[in-house]
Amino acid sequence: MLANSEQFLRQKNLIGGEWVDADSGETIEVTNPATGEVIGTVPKCGKAETKRAIEAAQTAFESFSRTSALERAQMLRALHDTIMDNQESLARLLSTEQGKSLMEARGEVGMSAAYVLWYAEEARRVYGDVVPSPWADRRLMVIRQPVGVIGAITPWNFPSSMLARKIAPAIAAGCTSVAKPASETPYSGLAWGALAEEAGIPAGVVNVVTGSAAQIGGELTKNPIVRKITFTGSTQIGKLLIKQCAGTVKKVSMELGGNAPFIVFDDADLDRAIEGAMIAKFRNSGQTCVCTNRFLVQSKIYNKFVDRLAEEADKLKVGNGLEDGTQQGPLINESAVETVEGMVADAVNKGGKIAAGGKRHSLGGTFFEPTVIANAKPRMRFTKEEIFGPLAPVYRFRREEEAIKLANETVFGLAAYFYTSDLGRAYRVMEGLKYGLVGVNEGMITTVEAPFGGFKESGMGKEGGHQGIEDYLDSKYVCIGGLGM
Ligand code: NAP
C-alpha cells in the first residue's frame, strides 16, 4: 500500500543532518486509523535528544542566518518543487497515518507546497526602515533579523500543512528549527526532514524529533537557545507552553482551538449555504480547528436548512481514505469517537433531535456517521466545547443581534461564517463578530496569501499572508552618530 511512499516513511529522527534513533532505543508505534494496522514505529526521544537537536540548529544558524534572502528564496523554491514532485506519495502517507480521504490529503500537500512558494516570495521582501532623524549628525534605521532557533510543535489533524506554515517562514527569515510532530501522525512531519535534505537545505536547518511530548516540549520551552515557540494544537496545551516559555521570555505564536459559528439568515441563498456548510463541517471528518461547531439558523429558514443538511450528510461516502470515492474517513482514535458519542447522548437527553446519523458507523473501528442534531440548545455540551468530529448541531435564532451575541458567546475566536444576501447586514455582522477569520457566503476561506489566526483563547500571532513571517524576525533600531554633518 505504501509502495510509493516508502521513501518518506522515515522511522528515525533528523538531528543535525543525521537520521538517528532514540538514545534508549525505545520506539512508538504508529497505526492506520482506518484499519488499526501498525504502519511502523518512530523513536521515542526525550530531553537529551531535543537538547542535541537545539544545539545542532544553533550551529546551523550561525551560517544559515548569513545566507542572502535570494539564496533562501531559491532553497524554498527547490523545496516547493520537491514537494510537488512527490505529491502523490506524500498524500498517500498522510492519508494512511491520519485517515483523511486521498483527495483531501492531496489538497493538504498542495497547500503545504503553496505555503513554501509564498514564503520563497516573501523572503525577498523583508524590508527595514530608514527613519527621518531628529539630529543633523545622526542617521537612524531599523533592520530586521532572524530571531534564531525556533521550536515548532504541531497537531495530527493537518500534519503536513501545519508544519509548512512554520518551517517555510522560518527558512525565509533565516531561522533554523526543531520540529515536533504529533505522535499519531509523525511521518508527515518527518517527511519535512527528508524533503529539506532532497531540496539541498543545509544540515541542521530543519531538525525533527518525535517522542515524549512533555519532555520534548519541556526542553524546547526552557532551553534559552530557542528564541521562539510556534505551536498549533489545543488551547489547554497552548496555555501550558505559554507558561513554560515565560522563564526564558520567548516569543510565542499560538494557533489553538476553535468553536466556529455558521450563521444562516432567512435571506441567504440556501443552496450556497448548504454547500458551504458541508465543507465547513465535514471536511477532515469534522476534525479541523475552523470546522463549524454551531450552526445558528434564522427561524423562517430553519426547518428547510435542517432537512437539506441532513439529506447531504446522509449522502457522504464514509470509508478508508485511500479508497476511491471516500468523502469521510475515520476519526483519529477511539477517544475522539467517545467524545462525539458523549455529545450526541448529552444533546438527546436535553431535547436534541437526531436528523441524520447519530452513531458509530457500521464499518466499525473509529468510523462515525455524519450526524445532524436539530433543536440544539445553549445548555448542550457542544455549545462550549470543541466537537472535533462529524457532528452538526443546529440552533434556532430570531434576530440579527441575537445571532451575533450567540456567535460571540465563547472563549474561542478563530473562524466564523455567515450567509446573507443583504449587503448592510453583511457589514454589520462581519464587524460584530469577534473572530480572526470570517467567511461571508463562503465556507472554506484559508489561503496562503491571507493571515490565519484567532482572537481570545484561539491564540495569538498569524500564519500565512505577509504577516506570517513577522514572528520569526526581530526589529533592531540602529542610530549612527558622529557623522560630522
Ligand atoms: P494537542 O493535544 O494540543 O497536541 C498538539 C501537539 O502538542 C502534539 O504534537 C502533541 O504531542 C503536543 N503536546 C501534547 N502535550 C504536550 C506538552 N505537555 N508539551 C509540549 N507539547 C505537547 O492537540 P491535538 O489533539 O493534536 O490537535 C487538535 C487541536 O489542535 C484542536 O484543539 C484544534 O482546534 C487545534 N488546531 C488548531 C489549529 C489552528 O490553526 N488554530 C489548527 C489545527 C488544529 P503528542 O501528539 O505527542 O501528544
Side-chain angles (χ1 to χ4, degrees):
M1 188 167 51
L2 281 169
N4 297 324
S5 306
E6 287 295 340
Q7 56 171 322
F8 292 112
L9 191 79
R10 298 294 172 113
Q11 307 201 48
K12 290 180 186 280
N13 283 181
L14 182 63
I15 299 182
E18 304 287 329
W19 289 94
V20 296
D21 292 314
D23 292 352
S24 64
E26 281 183 82
T27 56
I28 302 173
E29 284 186 346
V30 184
T31 55
N32 177 337
T35 61
E37 283 165 13
V38 174
I39 309 165
T41 63
V42 290
K44 189 174 179 192
C45 286
K47 186 172 159 42
E49 299 89 334
T50 308
K51 188 163 179 283
R52 284 205 293 282
I54 294 169
E55 284 159 3
Q58 175 64 14
T59 304
F61 180 73
E62 281 155 28
S63 49
F64 191 66
S65 56
R66 290 199 295 270
T67 52
S68 73
L70 180 59
E71 282 173 283
R72 295 196 299 278
Q74 282 162 341
M75 287 181 209
L76 285 168
R77 280 185 177 277
L79 182 59
H80 165 270
D81 294 349
T82 309
I83 296 169
M84 289 314 287
D85 288 348
N86 293 286
Q87 185 179 17
E88 192 59 23
S89 311
L90 292 164
R92 287 192 162 269
L93 180 65
L94 172 44
S95 179
T96 305
E97 66 176 346
Q98 202 275 343
K100 68 180 64 178
S101 72
L102 203 45
M103 189 184 66
E104 286 192 28
R106 286 184 192 117
E108 182 178 341
V109 173
M111 189 66 142
S112 294
Y115 275 110
V116 172
L117 187 59
W118 173 255
Y119 283 107
E121 291 156 353
E122 287 298 292
R124 301 178 67 191
R125 305 191 216 298
V126 178
Y127 300 112
D129 286 314
V130 174
V131 180
S133 173
W135 301 289
D137 65 341
R138 299 185 210 173
R139 292 294 179 268
L140 318 182
M141 63 177 132
V142 178
I143 63 164
R144 297 165 84 216
Q145 294 179 302
V147 294
V149 174
I150 65 124
I153 304 177
T154 48
W156 50 263
N157 63 342
F158 287 92
S160 174
S161 62
M162 294 300 105
L163 261 184
R165 292 176 178 190
K166 303 180 187 311
I167 287 177
I171 292 176
C175 297
T176 56
S177 54
V178 178
K180 186 236 166 278
S183 298
E184 263 117 347
T185 56
Y187 293 125
S188 298
L190 287 161
W192 280 99
L195 291 162
E197 273 187 332
E198 210 167 312
I201 292 169
V205 171
V206 176
N207 303 275
V208 191
V209 286
T210 54
S212 158
Q215 284 196 36
I216 298 170
E219 184 61 24
L220 284 175
T221 48
K222 288 180 189 133
N223 192 313
I225 295 174
V226 177
R227 291 319 313 152
K228 171 193 166 63
I229 289 289
T230 168
F231 172 74
T232 301
S234 61
T235 295
Q236 183 201 354
I237 301 296
K239 287 180 181 176
L240 174 79
L241 296 176
I242 295 171
K243 273 192 208 142
Q244 289 178 190
C245 283
T248 46
V249 193
K250 294 188 202 318
K251 275 180 186 264
V252 288
S253 35
M254 296 279 148
E255 295 287 352
L256 309 177
N259 181 351
F262 187 111
I263 310 170
V264 187
F265 290 98
D266 285 339
D267 59 33
D269 172 338
L270 186 60
D271 290 339
R272 196 174 172 86
I274 291 292
E275 195 184 319
M278 292 302 291
I279 299 171
K281 177 68 250 183
F282 294 106
R283 191 162 64 99
N284 201 13
S285 308
Q287 304 171 114
T288 88
C289 52
V290 292
C291 267
T292 300
N293 219 61
R294 296 167 292 152
F295 284 97
L296 310 176
V297 182
Q298 205 162 11
S299 310
K300 277 196 208 136
I301 208 173
Y302 185 89
N303 291 340
K304 256 194 227 158
F305 181 86
V306 169
D307 290 349
R308 290 280 308 277
L309 188 66
E311 202 180 297
E312 293 303 316
D314 279 337
K315 281 190 212 155
L316 281 179
K317 184 162 185 284
V318 179
N320 184 325
L322 290 176
E323 283 163 14
D324 267 355
T326 292
Q327 291 168 297
Q328 185 184 291
L331 300 197
I332 190 70
N333 54 30
E334 177 58 25
S335 128
V337 179
E338 284 166 13
T339 302
V340 177
E341 257 184 338
M343 285 185 176
V344 173
D346 169 76
V348 170
N349 278 337
K350 293 173 182 164
K353 303 240 173 317
I354 296 176
K359 56 184 192 310
R360 287 171 186 258
H361 197 276
S362 56
L363 286 170
T366 59
F367 290 95
F368 202 88
E369 292 175 344
T371 297
V372 177
I373 304 261
N375 205 23
K377 298 285 176 221
R379 58 181 180 270
M380 296 173 183
R381 257 179 71 190
F382 37 53
T383 305
K384 298 256 182 285
E385 291 175 40
E386 200 176 17
I387 300 171
F388 241 59
L391 161 58
V394 193
Y395 302 72
R396 187 191 294 262
F397 74 88
R398 285 178 212 292
R399 295 183 334 277
E400 183 182 305
E401 311 79 65
E402 186 191 349
I404 298 173
K405 186 165 174 288
L406 282 171
N408 287 337
E409 266 173 4
T410 164
V411 296
F412 297 107
L414 188 57
Y417 312 89
F418 67 93
Y419 282 68
T420 180
S421 51
D422 175 332
L423 189 59
R425 169 172 276 165
Y427 273 93
R428 285 192 303 274
V429 177
M430 178 271 284
E431 289 172 8
L433 288 170
K434 294 189 185 116
Y435 286 83
L437 317 166
V438 178
V440 186
N441 297 325
E442 288 294 341
M444 189 160 92
I445 62 172
T446 307
T447 179
V448 302
E449 291 83 359
F452 186 105
F455 292 175
K456 302 192 311 198
E457 294 191 18
S458 287
M460 58 181 99
K462 301 289 176 194
E463 294 192 327
H466 68 82
Q467 296 89 341
I469 198 166
E470 294 299 329
D471 280 350
Y472 297 83
L473 296 164
D474 280 325
S475 286
K476 184 183 283 175
Y477 157 56
V478 185
C479 172
I480 305 175
L483 296 176
M485 301 162 89

